[in-house]
Amino acid sequence: MKYIKSIIILFIIAFSLYIGYNAIFPYNSPEWMGFAPYDAVKSGAEPKKLWDWLDLLIVPLSIATIGWIYKEYEKSKDEKKDFENKQNETLDSYFRVISDLIIKSNLLDIHLNKESKIIARTRTIVAIENLNDERKGQVLQFLYESKLIDKDIIELIGANFRTSEVSGIVLKDTIIKGVYFCNSKFIRSYLDRSVFTACDFTNTDFTDSSMQNTDLSYTKLIRCKLVNIDLTTVDFEGADLTDADLTNSVILKSQLEKIFKKNNIKLNKTKIL
C-alpha cells in the first residue's frame, strides 16, 4: 500500500512539474493545455483545455482530498491512542509484577532466593526496551524509590535507558553501573552522592542539576551538557568528555587533569579553580 501511495505521489509531482514547465514555456506546450496561443482559423473550433477539465474536477477532487486528509488524521489519532494504551499496559504490567515480588516474595530482602532476582531483572530489562522516553523515567524513579537499585537487588548493567526523559528526577545515594543513558534528559535533577561508573551519557543534558560528590568515573560524557553546575566534588577520573559543554559551571583544575579525553570541551564562562 505504501508503495502504491509513493508511486501516486511521484506521478502527481512529475505531472505538476510538467504543467509548470509548459506554463513557463507555453509556445511549445500541447494544445490541450491551453497555454499557447490558439489559431481558430487553422485548427477550427477550440477544444476543451486542461483548465476546462480541471473546472469540472475541482469540486470532486476537493471533496476526495478533504476526505483523505480526515481519514489519515483519524488513522494517525487511532495509532497514537493504540500506542499509548500499549505503553500503559506494559508499564502497569511491570509495576504489578515487581510489586508482587516485593510483597509476596520479599524482594527487598538481600538474602532472598536468586529466582526472584532473576525474574525482577528480566522483567525490568524487557519493560524498558519496550517503553518510550517518559515511561523509562518512571521505571527508573520507581526502582529508586522502591530501593531496588539502592541495595543492588536489581542489577541494571547493560540496561537500555537511552532517550529517557528523567528531568527533575531524584537519584541521591544510589549506585548504577554500566547503563546506557545516551540522548537522555537529566535537567534539574538531584544526583548527589550517586555512583554512575562506566555508564554511557553521550548527548545527555544535565543542565542545572545537583551533583555534589557524584561519581562519574570512567563514564562516556561525549557531547554531554554539564551547564550551570557546581562540579567541584564530581569524580571525573577516566571519563571521556569529548565535545562536552561545561558552560557557566565551576570545576577544579585537578579534576580536568583526571579526565581521560577532553578534546574540544566548551569552557565558556566556566570557572576553573
Side-chain angles (χ1 to χ4, degrees):
M1 189 66 182
K2 287 184 178 179
Y3 180 70
I4 295 172
K5 281 184 179 179
S6 298
I7 291 176
I8 292 172
I9 291 170
L10 285 173
F11 174 78
I12 292 171
I13 292 172
F15 186 67
S16 299
L17 290 172
Y18 179 64
I19 292 174
Y21 173 80
N22 284 284
I24 296 171
F25 305 102
Y27 288 98
N28 294 319
S29 65
E31 288 186 356
W32 58 270
M33 281 194 175
F35 292 124
Y38 187 77
D39 190 343
V41 175
K42 182 180 177 182
S43 304
E46 189 173 357
K48 287 189 178 295
K49 299 183 178 66
L50 173 66
W51 305 119
D52 298 322
W53 292 111
L54 288 178
D55 232 9
L56 296 172
L57 293 172
I58 193 164
V59 173
L61 280 174
S62 298
I63 294 172
T65 302
I66 292 169
W68 178 79
I69 292 171
Y70 178 76
K71 184 180 177 182
E72 289 297 310
Y73 168 75
E74 288 295 317
K75 182 181 176 182
S76 175
K77 192 166 71 171
D78 289 341
E79 287 175 351
K80 186 178 180 181
K81 186 177 179 181
D82 289 342
F83 174 77
E84 289 296 321
N85 288 338
K86 287 178 182 177
Q87 288 283 295
N88 289 331
E89 287 172 8
T90 300
L91 191 62
D92 290 343
S93 174
Y94 171 74
F95 285 155
R96 281 198 303 271
V97 170
I98 302 302
S99 297
D100 284 345
L101 287 173
I102 292 173
I103 297 168
K104 298 177 182 179
S105 301
N106 200 16
L107 186 62
L108 293 174
D109 186 346
I110 59 173
H111 304 295
L112 76 156
N113 56 61
K114 290 183 179 179
E115 287 76 12
S116 296
K117 276 189 174 184
I118 292 170
I119 293 171
R121 171 177 162 76
T122 302
R123 290 303 297 256
T124 301
I125 298 299
V126 171
I128 60 177
E129 283 287 349
N130 292 282
L131 292 172
N132 66 355
D133 307 352
E134 292 182 3
R135 290 176 177 84
K136 283 182 181 180
Q138 291 172 12
V139 168
L140 190 59
Q141 187 73 74
F142 170 77
L143 291 171
Y144 171 76
E145 292 179 357
S146 302
K147 301 186 183 301
L148 293 170
I149 48 178
D150 245 10
K151 298 178 181 179
D152 206 24
I153 292 170
I154 296 180
E155 293 182 2
L156 294 177
I157 294 175
N160 177 18
F161 278 95
R162 292 179 176 89
T163 70
S164 294
E165 173 53 77
V166 291
S167 294
I169 197 170
V170 176
L171 290 175
K172 292 182 178 180
D173 301 296
T174 193
I175 300 174
I176 299 175
K177 296 181 180 180
V179 172
Y180 294 97
F181 286 109
C182 317
N183 301 300
S184 295
K185 290 184 180 179
F186 279 81
I187 300 169
R188 294 183 298 279
S189 297
Y190 298 88
L191 311 172
D192 298 350
R193 298 179 300 280
S194 289
V195 176
F196 294 101
T197 303
C199 288
D200 190 344
F201 288 107
T202 300
N203 286 319
T204 294
D205 191 348
F206 288 102
T207 300
D208 293 321
S209 291
S210 179
M211 288 186 165
Q212 296 300 309
N213 296 297
T214 302
D215 186 348
L216 293 175
S217 58
Y218 304 99
T219 57
K220 282 187 179 180
L221 297 162
I222 302 168
R223 295 183 298 279
C224 183
K225 286 187 178 181
L226 293 161
V227 177
N228 198 30
I229 303 173
D230 181 356
L231 301 169
T232 54
T233 57
V234 176
D235 185 354
F236 285 115
E237 184 175 356
D240 184 351
L241 275 80
T242 302
D243 295 314
D245 186 356
L246 276 62
T247 298
N248 206 37
S249 292
V250 184
I251 193 169
L252 302 176
K253 186 177 180 181
S254 58
Q255 289 174 290
L256 287 171
E257 292 172 352
K258 289 182 179 180
I259 295 171
F260 177 57
K261 291 183 180 180
K262 43 183 176 282
N263 298 331
N264 301 319
I265 289 183
K266 298 177 181 67
L267 297 171
N268 184 31
K269 297 182 180 179
T270 302
K271 189 174 181 181
I272 302 173
L273 304 177

